[in-house]
């Protein structure tokens, strides 16, 4: 019993780190406007408070995942908590725009350490059915952190000001750092430390150029000189990284892992599932505030049903996947949240609150059915010695889905909205028509997720 208690305490430390890392990536969503007014910068500039965080967090995921296979988990994870807390405190006190962006990058480094190693810690301390349940709970907390951020941000802005959106995670991070040092695994198998610094440089440049191009493509223009240069940098550094990692004995990413069908297609399924989720989550707050003219507090509360249903379903589906396998649950998930996206295509200026609550709740059920079993299957498909880098790649897939979802959503929505307004439609009508079309693309991402999951977990033919 004592051993089981210690395991769940270690799980809590790892999962809470994931939760606050994702929470702080989205609590700023509703704070961007008051930030821009207070710091006297444009909305285009203030978007970097969110973009810089996601870019730095995502770029370093495989690096810190690799370190997780080499260094003791207690030291690495407590360091993540400390760096995150320092970045959050500094962001809260930032007196100007430049320092706010700098401190958000520091905060993102701490978040990247935690996100890249949490699933490896959890997969290493649990087995079989309990592993599925634990990974399900972790996936649930990650998704809740990301989706409940706007709600929490709306409450804090309503009653205080934008500086306070960074405050909720501070005491949690300090306590997490202390107990991570005490409780998490302190030993790793003796390994000679060999790290491919040149490969890491190629990888970082490649991923940063790619994500920057995706994030800013709509604003700069997809055929602009900046985007073309970033595309060339992505191709060159990506090629250099791949060929280098294929020929050295201590690669940053072991490409042989991608020969494992559940690992490769499972990660693709996770990425496209987040693209589908973020198609709606990035636009729903704007719909609630711009079209329905609700304040930040009510808008935040209407988003919460997603988190509530997800928190109920994810642990159940995780446990079932550990007992019965992941195949049918990972197929049911996309089907359910596609139904929610279809409902979102019917929203207009007279949509009732209960309809918004129902659609958000169904979306949470779908994501809860999918994420936990998928995470479990992916982490179970690799060797125990590669859990760290597998965890980093899984987190990378998730965050790539986030960034791609945001970038594609904004591009599609703004393109069609401008077309509709040029044809004489008033703002609300143009918004709704563009919103409906964007939801159709979300449905297509959901269908892609279903297809990848079908391939990933297809039973092997008996011979």
């Amino acid at each position: 019993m004592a051993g089981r208690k210690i395991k769940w305490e270690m799980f809590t430390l790892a999962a809470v780190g994931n939760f606050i890392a994702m929470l702080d990536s989205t609590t700023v969503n509703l704070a961007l406007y008051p930030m821009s007014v207070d710091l006297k910068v444009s909305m285009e500039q203030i978007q970097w408070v969110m973009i810089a965080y996601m870019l730095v967090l995502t770029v370093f995921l495989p690096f810190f995942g690799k370190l997780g296979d080499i260094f003791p988990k207690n030291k690495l994870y407590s360091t993540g908590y400390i760096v995150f807390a320092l970045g959050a405190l500094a962001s809260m006190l930032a007196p100007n725009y430049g320092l706010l962006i700098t401190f958000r990058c520091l905060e993102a480094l701490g978040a990247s350490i935690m996100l890249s190693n949490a699933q490896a810690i959890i997969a290493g301390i649990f087995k079989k059915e309990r592993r599925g349940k634990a990974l399900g709970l972790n996936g649930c907390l990650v998704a809740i952190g990301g989706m409940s951020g706007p709600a929490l941000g709306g409450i804090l802005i309503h009653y205080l000001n934008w500086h306070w959106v960074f405050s909720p995670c501070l005491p949690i991070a300090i306590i997490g750092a202390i107990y991570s040092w005490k409780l998490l695994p302190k030993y790793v198998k003796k390994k000679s430390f060999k790290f491919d610094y040149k490969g890491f440089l190629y990888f970082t440049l490649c991923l940063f150029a790619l994500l920057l191009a995706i994030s800013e493509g709509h604003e700069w223009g997809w055929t602009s000189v900046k985007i073309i240069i970033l595309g060339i940098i992505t191709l060159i550094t990506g090629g250099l990284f791949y060929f280098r990692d294929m020929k050295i004995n201590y690669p940053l990413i072991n490409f042989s892992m991608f020969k494992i069908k559940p690992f490769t297609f499972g990660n693709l399924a996770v990425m496209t599932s987040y693209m589908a989720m973020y198609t709606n989550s990035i636009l729903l707050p704007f719909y609630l505030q711009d079209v329905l003219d609700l304040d930040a507090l009510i808008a935040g509360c209407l988003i919460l049903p997603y988190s509530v249903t997800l928190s109920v379903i994810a642990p159940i589906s995780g446990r079932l996947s550990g007992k019965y396998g992941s195949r049918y649950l990972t197929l049911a998930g996309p089907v359910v949240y596609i139904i929610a996206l279809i409902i979102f295509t019917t929203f207009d200026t007279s949509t009732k609150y209960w309809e918004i609550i129902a659609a958000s709740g169904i979306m949470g059920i779908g994501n809860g059915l999918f994420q936990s079993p998928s995470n479990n299957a992916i982490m179970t498909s690799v060797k125990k010695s590669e859990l760290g880098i597998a965890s980093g790649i899984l987190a990378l897939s998730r965050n790539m889905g986030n960034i791609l979802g945001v970038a594609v959503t904004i591009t599609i929505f703004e393109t069609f909205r401008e077309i509709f307004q040029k044809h004489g439609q008033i703002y609300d009508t143009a918004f709704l028509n563009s919103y409906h079309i964007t939801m159709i693309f979300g449905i297509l991402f959901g269908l892609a997720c279903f297809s990848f999951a079908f391939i990933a977990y297809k039973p092997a033919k008996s011979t």
Side-chain angles (χ1 to χ4, degrees):
M1 182 66 70
R4 183 183 297 180
K5 182 181 177 183
I6 288 292
K7 286 183 177 181
W8 283 105
E9 286 174 350
M10 289 192 287
F11 162 82
T12 301
L13 289 167
V16 167
N18 264 2
F19 173 79
I20 63 173
M22 289 305 296
L23 182 71
D24 249 32
S25 71
T26 57
T27 48
V28 299
N29 285 11
L30 292 177
L32 293 179
Y33 177 72
M35 281 179 182
S36 69
V37 173
D38 187 36
L39 299 175
K40 296 178 176 60
V41 295
S42 68
M43 284 302 291
E44 179 183 332
Q45 289 173 296
I46 207 66
Q47 292 287 338
W48 276 93
V49 174
M50 184 171 60
I51 294 170
Y53 183 92
M54 292 303 297
L55 282 176
V56 172
L57 186 157
T58 305
V59 163
F60 282 91
L61 286 170
F63 170 66
F64 289 126
K66 180 74 173 179
L67 291 188
D69 289 330
I70 299 170
F71 291 109
K73 295 290 193 294
N74 68 320
K75 294 180 180 178
L76 191 61
Y77 214 77
S78 60
T79 300
Y81 268 122
I82 291 168
V83 173
F84 181 86
L86 289 172
L89 177 61
S91 297
M92 184 178 175
L93 301 174
N96 58 58
Y97 173 73
L99 286 176
L100 178 59
I101 299 298
T102 302
F103 296 145
R104 281 288 281 174
C105 290
L106 177 65
E107 190 182 7
L109 283 174
S112 190
I113 294 173
M114 295 187 290
L115 279 170
S116 60
N117 283 281
Q119 301 204 82
I121 293 170
I122 294 166
I125 59 179
F126 291 101
K127 294 180 180 179
K128 296 182 180 178
E129 184 179 341
R130 284 198 180 91
R131 176 186 282 183
K133 179 182 178 182
L135 287 170
L137 283 168
N138 180 62
C140 165
L141 285 171
V142 170
I144 290 174
M147 294 299 292
S148 58
L152 179 60
I155 293 168
L156 292 170
I157 295 162
H158 183 79
Y159 290 107
L160 298 167
N161 59 52
W162 70 261
H163 292 276
W164 289 91
V165 299
F166 304 105
S167 65
C169 297
L170 279 172
I172 299 172
I174 293 167
I175 295 169
I178 295 168
Y179 282 94
S180 292
W181 187 274
K182 291 180 178 180
L183 296 178
L184 290 182
K186 298 176 175 62
Y187 305 103
V188 290
K189 290 182 180 179
K190 292 289 183 182
K191 294 181 182 180
S192 58
F193 181 69
K194 291 183 177 179
F195 187 75
D196 181 18
Y197 294 100
K198 189 180 287 188
F200 175 65
L201 177 62
Y202 293 151
F203 175 82
T204 302
L205 289 172
C206 172
L207 196 56
F208 187 83
L210 174 63
L211 296 181
L212 182 59
I214 291 169
S215 300
E216 295 298 304
H218 175 72
E219 192 67 39
W220 293 344
W222 292 104
T223 58
S224 67
V225 174
K226 290 180 183 178
I227 296 299
I228 292 170
I229 291 173
L230 287 172
I232 293 170
I233 292 172
T234 300
L235 291 173
I236 293 174
T237 54
L240 289 170
F241 170 70
Y242 175 78
F243 289 115
R244 178 175 176 79
D245 258 33
M246 288 295 286
K247 68 181 182 181
I248 64 173
N249 296 323
Y250 47 97
L252 180 66
I253 295 176
N254 185 358
F255 282 99
S256 64
M257 293 170 67
F258 291 98
K259 295 178 182 177
I260 304 168
K261 188 172 71 170
F263 181 81
T264 301
F265 286 95
N267 273 288
L268 288 171
V270 167
M271 184 178 74
T272 48
S273 75
Y274 271 83
M275 290 176 71
M277 292 294 142
Y278 270 73
T279 304
N280 180 64
S281 68
I282 197 70
L283 291 180
L284 186 58
F286 287 95
Y287 164 74
L288 296 174
Q289 293 178 93
D290 275 8
V291 177
L292 298 189
D293 199 27
L294 304 176
D295 64 31
L297 180 62
I298 296 175
C301 291
L302 287 174
I303 295 170
L304 274 180
Y306 173 94
S307 301
V308 174
T309 54
L310 175 62
S311 65
V312 173
I313 297 298
I316 297 171
S317 65
R319 184 162 192 154
L320 290 173
S321 72
K323 193 172 184 179
Y324 301 109
S326 299
R327 177 168 173 76
Y328 294 110
L329 290 165
T330 55
L331 295 177
V335 171
V336 174
Y337 68 66
I338 284 171
I339 292 171
L341 288 166
I342 292 171
I343 296 173
F344 283 120
T345 64
T346 67
F347 280 15
D348 55 29
T349 55
S350 60
T351 299
K352 303 292 189 295
Y353 284 2
W354 70 264
E355 294 176 276
I356 300 167
I357 291 169
S360 296
I362 294 169
M363 182 76 88
I365 292 171
N367 202 19
L369 287 171
F370 173 80
Q371 294 296 338
S372 305
S374 183
N375 292 344
N376 184 28
I378 290 168
M379 296 302 291
T380 305
S381 70
V382 302
K383 299 175 185 176
K384 192 170 184 178
S385 62
E386 294 176 328
L387 284 175
I389 188 60
S391 177
I393 292 172
L394 177 54
L396 176 65
S397 299
R398 185 166 56 236
N399 282 278
M400 284 289 287
N402 292 349
I403 294 173
L404 284 168
V406 171
V408 172
T409 295
I410 291 173
T411 299
I412 295 169
F413 176 79
E414 288 294 336
T415 300
F416 280 99
R417 186 180 62 81
E418 289 171 6
I419 291 171
F420 290 133
Q421 285 192 292
K422 283 179 181 177
H423 283 77
Q425 292 186 2
I426 62 172
Y427 178 82
D428 282 2
T429 304
F431 184 106
L432 287 168
N433 286 335
S434 184
Y435 177 72
H436 296 158
I437 291 172
T438 309
M439 291 307 102
I440 292 171
F441 278 87
I443 292 168
L444 294 177
F445 296 144
L447 292 172
C449 172
F450 180 92
S451 302
F452 288 133
F454 183 84
I455 296 169
Y457 312 118
K458 188 175 182 180
K461 291 182 179 179
S462 55
T463 55

